[in-house]
Amino acid sequence: MRPDDARRAIDIGATAISVSNHGGNNLDGTPASIRALPAISDAVGGQIEVLLDGGIRRGSDVVKALALGARAVMIGRAYLWGLAANGSAGVQNVFDVLRGGIDATLLALGRSSIHDVSPDDIIVPAEFSRGLDK
């Protein structure tokens, strides 16, 4: 959740990091992981892979995370909901819903691939990352 920790990960030889607030369970009022993502992505400058953990509920969330600097996202909670609801078929349904949302979001943005999205595709409020740029 902190750019200085991300830079430290590079210094010790990490090849990837996860931007995660651990479900916000550690401290009431913890910022959403996606709010920390742009500053962390900027801090590592493509030197290591950045994964976003938390808050992915629909395909548009995936596209937003990729546009703001994530290489991939984790979908643990959505996966578990699908598994609990209908076993492997439920998990497949989660994947289908996410993929449909990704495709619809890319279409709305006029992009043909997730590789074409950028921060310019997302409207980010001025206060979005307030206090997360250390």
Side-chain angles (χ1 to χ4, degrees):
M1 292 292 291
R2 296 173 37 142
D4 59 336
D5 284 339
R7 287 187 293 272
R8 196 170 14 252
I10 292 170
D11 292 343
I12 63 170
T15 58
I17 57 172
S18 171
V19 180
S20 178
N21 68 3
H22 304 285
N25 295 325
N26 291 337
L27 179 66
D28 288 346
T30 299
S33 300
I34 199 161
R35 288 181 179 253
L37 180 61
I40 291 172
S41 180
D42 288 345
V44 301
Q47 296 176 67
I48 59 176
E49 301 290 344
V50 177
L51 291 81
L52 179 76
D53 180 34
I56 303 298
R57 304 291 181 265
R58 57 187 65 85
S60 61
D61 296 332
V62 174
V63 174
K64 289 174 195 173
L66 298 176
L68 294 175
R71 171 79 167 131
V73 299
M74 297 182 203
I75 59 163
R77 192 171 293 173
Y79 174 94
L80 290 175
W81 287 341
L83 184 63
N86 198 20
S88 62
V91 173
Q92 184 61 51
N93 182 258
V94 167
F95 291 148
D96 292 344
V97 168
L98 286 172
R99 181 59 198 223
I102 291 167
D103 290 345
T105 303
L106 291 174
L107 182 64
L109 291 171
R111 303 287 186 221
S112 59
S113 167
I114 58 169
H115 303 291
D116 298 334
V117 297
S118 76
D120 294 335
D121 292 317
I122 308 297
I123 296 173
V124 179
E127 295 286 315
F128 187 74
S129 299
R130 181 176 54 85
L132 297 171
D133 55 357
K134 296 178 186 170

